[in-house]
PDB file of all heavy atoms in Angstrom:
ATOM      1  N   LEU A 162      12.797   9.210  28.057  1.00  0.00           N
ATOM      2  CA  LEU A 162      12.960  10.584  27.561  1.00  0.00           C
ATOM      3  C   LEU A 162      13.580  11.502  28.614  1.00  0.00           C
ATOM      4  O   LEU A 162      14.173  12.530  28.263  1.00  0.00           O
ATOM      5  CB  LEU A 162      11.603  11.163  27.132  1.00  0.00           C
ATOM      6  CG  LEU A 162      10.885  10.462  25.971  1.00  0.00           C
ATOM      7  CD1 LEU A 162       9.544  11.141  25.690  1.00  0.00           C
ATOM      8  CD2 LEU A 162      11.747  10.446  24.710  1.00  0.00           C
ATOM      9  N   ALA A 163      13.430  11.128  29.904  1.00  0.00           N
ATOM     10  CA  ALA A 163      13.879  12.015  30.981  1.00  0.00           C
ATOM     11  C   ALA A 163      15.381  12.282  30.938  1.00  0.00           C
ATOM     12  O   ALA A 163      15.839  13.321  31.424  1.00  0.00           O
ATOM     13  CB  ALA A 163      13.490  11.423  32.331  1.00  0.00           C
ATOM     14  N   VAL A 164      16.150  11.371  30.366  1.00  0.00           N
ATOM     15  CA  VAL A 164      17.605  11.609  30.301  1.00  0.00           C
ATOM     16  C   VAL A 164      17.982  12.307  28.981  1.00  0.00           C
ATOM     17  O   VAL A 164      19.151  12.410  28.640  1.00  0.00           O
ATOM     18  CB  VAL A 164      18.428  10.304  30.473  1.00  0.00           C
ATOM     19  CG1 VAL A 164      18.221   9.739  31.870  1.00  0.00           C
ATOM     20  CG2 VAL A 164      18.059   9.278  29.401  1.00  0.00           C
ATOM     21  N   GLN A 165      16.981  12.794  28.291  1.00  0.00           N
ATOM     22  CA  GLN A 165      17.150  13.569  27.061  1.00  0.00           C
ATOM     23  C   GLN A 165      18.036  12.879  26.014  1.00  0.00           C
ATOM     24  O   GLN A 165      19.099  13.392  25.659  1.00  0.00           O
ATOM     25  CB  GLN A 165      17.665  14.963  27.419  1.00  0.00           C
ATOM     26  CG  GLN A 165      16.638  15.693  28.271  1.00  0.00           C
ATOM     27  CD  GLN A 165      17.143  16.963  28.896  1.00  0.00           C
ATOM     28  OE1 GLN A 165      18.207  16.975  29.532  1.00  0.00           O
ATOM     29  NE2 GLN A 165      16.389  18.019  28.725  1.00  0.00           N
ATOM     30  N   PRO A 166      17.561  11.734  25.559  1.00  0.00           N
ATOM     31  CA  PRO A 166      18.332  10.994  24.547  1.00  0.00           C
ATOM     32  C   PRO A 166      18.151  11.632  23.158  1.00  0.00           C
ATOM     33  O   PRO A 166      17.280  12.484  22.977  1.00  0.00           O
ATOM     34  CB  PRO A 166      17.666   9.619  24.556  1.00  0.00           C
ATOM     35  CG  PRO A 166      16.239   9.904  24.888  1.00  0.00           C
ATOM     36  CD  PRO A 166      16.263  11.081  25.827  1.00  0.00           C
ATOM     37  N   ASP A 167      18.973  11.206  22.215  1.00  0.00           N
ATOM     38  CA  ASP A 167      18.773  11.617  20.817  1.00  0.00           C
ATOM     39  C   ASP A 167      17.939  10.576  20.086  1.00  0.00           C
ATOM     40  O   ASP A 167      17.238  10.873  19.136  1.00  0.00           O
ATOM     41  CB  ASP A 167      20.128  11.714  20.088  1.00  0.00           C
ATOM     42  CG  ASP A 167      21.002  12.779  20.709  1.00  0.00           C
ATOM     43  OD1 ASP A 167      20.455  13.840  21.062  1.00  0.00           O
ATOM     44  OD2 ASP A 167      22.225  12.533  20.858  1.00  0.00           O
ATOM     45  N   ILE A 168      18.125   9.319  20.549  1.00  0.00           N
ATOM     46  CA  ILE A 168      17.538   8.191  19.825  1.00  0.00           C
ATOM     47  C   ILE A 168      16.715   7.349  20.788  1.00  0.00           C
ATOM     48  O   ILE A 168      17.126   7.124  21.938  1.00  0.00           O
ATOM     49  CB  ILE A 168      18.673   7.314  19.213  1.00  0.00           C
ATOM     50  CG1 ILE A 168      19.470   8.141  18.208  1.00  0.00           C
ATOM     51  CG2 ILE A 168      18.110   6.046  18.553  1.00  0.00           C
ATOM     52  CD1 ILE A 168      20.794   7.539  17.819  1.00  0.00           C
ATOM     53  N   LEU A 169      15.566   6.904  20.330  1.00  0.00           N
ATOM     54  CA  LEU A 169      14.735   6.030  21.146  1.00  0.00           C
ATOM     55  C   LEU A 169      14.527   4.722  20.381  1.00  0.00           C
ATOM     56  O   LEU A 169      14.042   4.726  19.251  1.00  0.00           O
ATOM     57  CB  LEU A 169      13.382   6.722  21.387  1.00  0.00           C
ATOM     58  CG  LEU A 169      12.458   6.107  22.426  1.00  0.00           C
ATOM     59  CD1 LEU A 169      13.132   6.054  23.792  1.00  0.00           C
ATOM     60  CD2 LEU A 169      11.162   6.925  22.516  1.00  0.00           C
ATOM     61  N   LEU A 170      14.926   3.619  21.019  1.00  0.00           N
ATOM     62  CA  LEU A 170      14.734   2.303  20.401  1.00  0.00           C
ATOM     63  C   LEU A 170      13.490   1.664  21.006  1.00  0.00           C
ATOM     64  O   LEU A 170      13.313   1.685  22.226  1.00  0.00           O
ATOM     65  CB  LEU A 170      15.943   1.401  20.677  1.00  0.00           C
ATOM     66  CG  LEU A 170      17.322   1.971  20.341  1.00  0.00           C
ATOM     67  CD1 LEU A 170      18.418   0.956  20.741  1.00  0.00           C
ATOM     68  CD2 LEU A 170      17.432   2.318  18.863  1.00  0.00           C
ATOM     69  N   MET A 171      12.638   1.123  20.182  1.00  0.00           N
ATOM     70  CA  MET A 171      11.418   0.490  20.698  1.00  0.00           C
ATOM     71  C   MET A 171      11.366  -0.935  20.161  1.00  0.00           C
ATOM     72  O   MET A 171      11.241  -1.150  18.963  1.00  0.00           O
ATOM     73  CB  MET A 171      10.185   1.282  20.245  1.00  0.00           C
ATOM     74  CG  MET A 171      10.246   2.729  20.691  1.00  0.00           C
ATOM     75  SD  MET A 171       8.827   3.707  20.141  1.00  0.00           S
ATOM     76  CE  MET A 171       7.691   3.370  21.456  1.00  0.00           C
ATOM     77  N   ASP A 172      11.480  -1.891  21.113  1.00  0.00           N
ATOM     78  CA  ASP A 172      11.513  -3.290  20.696  1.00  0.00           C
ATOM     79  C   ASP A 172      10.128  -3.908  20.886  1.00  0.00           C
ATOM     80  O   ASP A 172       9.787  -4.322  21.992  1.00  0.00           O
ATOM     81  CB  ASP A 172      12.571  -4.040  21.513  1.00  0.00           C
ATOM     82  CG  ASP A 172      12.881  -5.404  20.910  1.00  0.00           C
ATOM     83  OD1 ASP A 172      12.250  -5.776  19.899  1.00  0.00           O
ATOM     84  OD2 ASP A 172      13.761  -6.087  21.465  1.00  0.00           O
ATOM     85  N   GLU A 173       9.350  -3.920  19.836  1.00  0.00           N
ATOM     86  CA  GLU A 173       7.961  -4.427  19.900  1.00  0.00           C
ATOM     87  C   GLU A 173       7.208  -3.815  21.068  1.00  0.00           C
ATOM     88  O   GLU A 173       6.542  -4.512  21.843  1.00  0.00           O
ATOM     89  CB  GLU A 173       7.967  -5.945  20.056  1.00  0.00           C
ATOM     90  CG  GLU A 173       8.491  -6.675  18.848  1.00  0.00           C
ATOM     91  CD  GLU A 173       8.436  -8.171  19.055  1.00  0.00           C
ATOM     92  OE1 GLU A 173       7.372  -8.668  19.437  1.00  0.00           O
ATOM     93  OE2 GLU A 173       9.465  -8.820  18.863  1.00  0.00           O
ATOM     94  N   ALA A 174       7.306  -2.491  21.183  1.00  0.00           N
ATOM     95  CA  ALA A 174       6.830  -1.813  22.387  1.00  0.00           C
ATOM     96  C   ALA A 174       5.320  -1.816  22.555  1.00  0.00           C
ATOM     97  O   ALA A 174       4.814  -1.435  23.604  1.00  0.00           O
ATOM     98  CB  ALA A 174       7.345  -0.369  22.393  1.00  0.00           C
ATOM     99  N   THR A 175       4.589  -2.241  21.552  1.00  0.00           N
ATOM    100  CA  THR A 175       3.124  -2.257  21.725  1.00  0.00           C
ATOM    101  C   THR A 175       2.544  -3.667  21.643  1.00  0.00           C
ATOM    102  O   THR A 175       1.343  -3.834  21.727  1.00  0.00           O
ATOM    103  CB  THR A 175       2.418  -1.398  20.647  1.00  0.00           C
ATOM    104  OG1 THR A 175       2.665  -1.972  19.365  1.00  0.00           O
ATOM    105  CG2 THR A 175       2.890   0.034  20.673  1.00  0.00           C
ATOM    106  N   SER A 176       3.421  -4.662  21.500  1.00  0.00           N
ATOM    107  CA  SER A 176       2.864  -5.993  21.228  1.00  0.00           C
ATOM    108  C   SER A 176       2.154  -6.594  22.441  1.00  0.00           C
ATOM    109  O   SER A 176       1.378  -7.526  22.291  1.00  0.00           O
ATOM    110  CB  SER A 176       3.915  -6.938  20.669  1.00  0.00           C
ATOM    111  OG  SER A 176       4.931  -7.091  21.592  1.00  0.00           O
ATOM    112  N   ALA A 177       2.423  -6.046  23.658  1.00  0.00           N
ATOM    113  CA  ALA A 177       1.716  -6.590  24.825  1.00  0.00           C
ATOM    114  C   ALA A 177       0.520  -5.714  25.205  1.00  0.00           C
ATOM    115  O   ALA A 177      -0.073  -5.902  26.260  1.00  0.00           O
ATOM    116  CB  ALA A 177       2.684  -6.699  26.000  1.00  0.00           C
ATOM    117  N   LEU A 178       0.181  -4.735  24.353  1.00  0.00           N
ATOM    118  CA  LEU A 178      -0.858  -3.770  24.731  1.00  0.00           C
ATOM    119  C   LEU A 178      -2.157  -3.983  23.950  1.00  0.00           C
ATOM    120  O   LEU A 178      -2.155  -4.530  22.851  1.00  0.00           O
ATOM    121  CB  LEU A 178      -0.349  -2.346  24.480  1.00  0.00           C
ATOM    122  CG  LEU A 178       0.963  -1.954  25.171  1.00  0.00           C
ATOM    123  CD1 LEU A 178       1.279  -0.502  24.860  1.00  0.00           C
ATOM    124  CD2 LEU A 178       0.880  -2.164  26.671  1.00  0.00           C
ATOM    125  N   ASP A 179      -3.249  -3.496  24.530  1.00  0.00           N
ATOM    126  CA  ASP A 179      -4.546  -3.569  23.837  1.00  0.00           C
ATOM    127  C   ASP A 179      -4.577  -2.528  22.713  1.00  0.00           C
ATOM    128  O   ASP A 179      -3.726  -1.635  22.666  1.00  0.00           O
ATOM    129  CB  ASP A 179      -5.683  -3.348  24.838  1.00  0.00           C
ATOM    130  CG  ASP A 179      -5.657  -1.951  25.402  1.00  0.00           C
ATOM    131  OD1 ASP A 179      -6.178  -1.037  24.752  1.00  0.00           O
ATOM    132  OD2 ASP A 179      -5.052  -1.763  26.490  1.00  0.00           O
ATOM    133  N   PRO A 180      -5.560  -2.626  21.780  1.00  0.00           N
ATOM    134  CA  PRO A 180      -5.560  -1.735  20.604  1.00  0.00           C
ATOM    135  C   PRO A 180      -5.597  -0.242  20.940  1.00  0.00           C
ATOM    136  O   PRO A 180      -4.946   0.559  20.270  1.00  0.00           O
ATOM    137  CB  PRO A 180      -6.826  -2.141  19.848  1.00  0.00           C
ATOM    138  CG  PRO A 180      -7.102  -3.528  20.281  1.00  0.00           C
ATOM    139  CD  PRO A 180      -6.617  -3.641  21.683  1.00  0.00           C
ATOM    140  N   VAL A 181      -6.342   0.138  21.981  1.00  0.00           N
ATOM    141  CA  VAL A 181      -6.433   1.569  22.315  1.00  0.00           C
ATOM    142  C   VAL A 181      -5.086   2.073  22.832  1.00  0.00           C
ATOM    143  O   VAL A 181      -4.593   3.136  22.416  1.00  0.00           O
ATOM    144  CB  VAL A 181      -7.562   1.827  23.347  1.00  0.00           C
ATOM    145  CG1 VAL A 181      -7.562   3.282  23.789  1.00  0.00           C
ATOM    146  CG2 VAL A 181      -8.907   1.448  22.746  1.00  0.00           C
ATOM    147  N   SER A 182      -4.457   1.306  23.716  1.00  0.00           N
ATOM    148  CA  SER A 182      -3.134   1.708  24.233  1.00  0.00           C
ATOM    149  C   SER A 182      -2.115   1.728  23.088  1.00  0.00           C
ATOM    150  O   SER A 182      -1.234   2.587  23.044  1.00  0.00           O
ATOM    151  CB  SER A 182      -2.647   0.730  25.301  1.00  0.00           C
ATOM    152  OG  SER A 182      -3.589   0.616  26.316  1.00  0.00           O
ATOM    153  N   THR A 183      -2.242   0.771  22.174  1.00  0.00           N
ATOM    154  CA  THR A 183      -1.337   0.721  21.020  1.00  0.00           C
ATOM    155  C   THR A 183      -1.462   1.992  20.202  1.00  0.00           C
ATOM    156  O   THR A 183      -0.462   2.622  19.826  1.00  0.00           O
ATOM    157  CB  THR A 183      -1.669  -0.504  20.137  1.00  0.00           C
ATOM    158  OG1 THR A 183      -1.464  -1.675  20.918  1.00  0.00           O
ATOM    159  CG2 THR A 183      -0.806  -0.564  18.892  1.00  0.00           C
ATOM    160  N   LEU A 184      -2.713   2.400  19.973  1.00  0.00           N
ATOM    161  CA  LEU A 184      -2.969   3.611  19.191  1.00  0.00           C
ATOM    162  C   LEU A 184      -2.366   4.838  19.879  1.00  0.00           C
ATOM    163  O   LEU A 184      -1.774   5.694  19.228  1.00  0.00           O
ATOM    164  CB  LEU A 184      -4.486   3.782  19.024  1.00  0.00           C
ATOM    165  CG  LEU A 184      -4.920   4.712  17.922  1.00  0.00           C
ATOM    166  CD1 LEU A 184      -4.554   4.101  16.575  1.00  0.00           C
ATOM    167  CD2 LEU A 184      -6.430   4.927  17.978  1.00  0.00           C
ATOM    168  N   LYS A 185      -2.495   4.876  21.217  1.00  0.00           N
ATOM    169  CA  LYS A 185      -1.926   6.025  21.959  1.00  0.00           C
ATOM    170  C   LYS A 185      -0.418   6.089  21.778  1.00  0.00           C
ATOM    171  O   LYS A 185       0.154   7.146  21.600  1.00  0.00           O
ATOM    172  CB  LYS A 185      -2.273   5.916  23.451  1.00  0.00           C
ATOM    173  CG  LYS A 185      -3.672   6.405  23.746  1.00  0.00           C
ATOM    174  CD  LYS A 185      -3.880   6.562  25.234  1.00  0.00           C
ATOM    175  CE  LYS A 185      -5.297   7.082  25.473  1.00  0.00           C
ATOM    176  NZ  LYS A 185      -5.783   6.768  26.803  1.00  0.00           N
TER     177      LYS A 185
END
Side-chain angles (χ1 to χ4, degrees):
Chain A
L162 297 179
V164 295
Q165 297 169 309
D167 297 320
I168 298 165
L169 191 59
L170 308 177
M171 303 179 86
D172 193 358
E173 293 181 51
T175 64
S176 61
L178 304 182
D179 66 83
V181 175
S182 305
T183 298
L184 198 67
K185 279 192 179 157

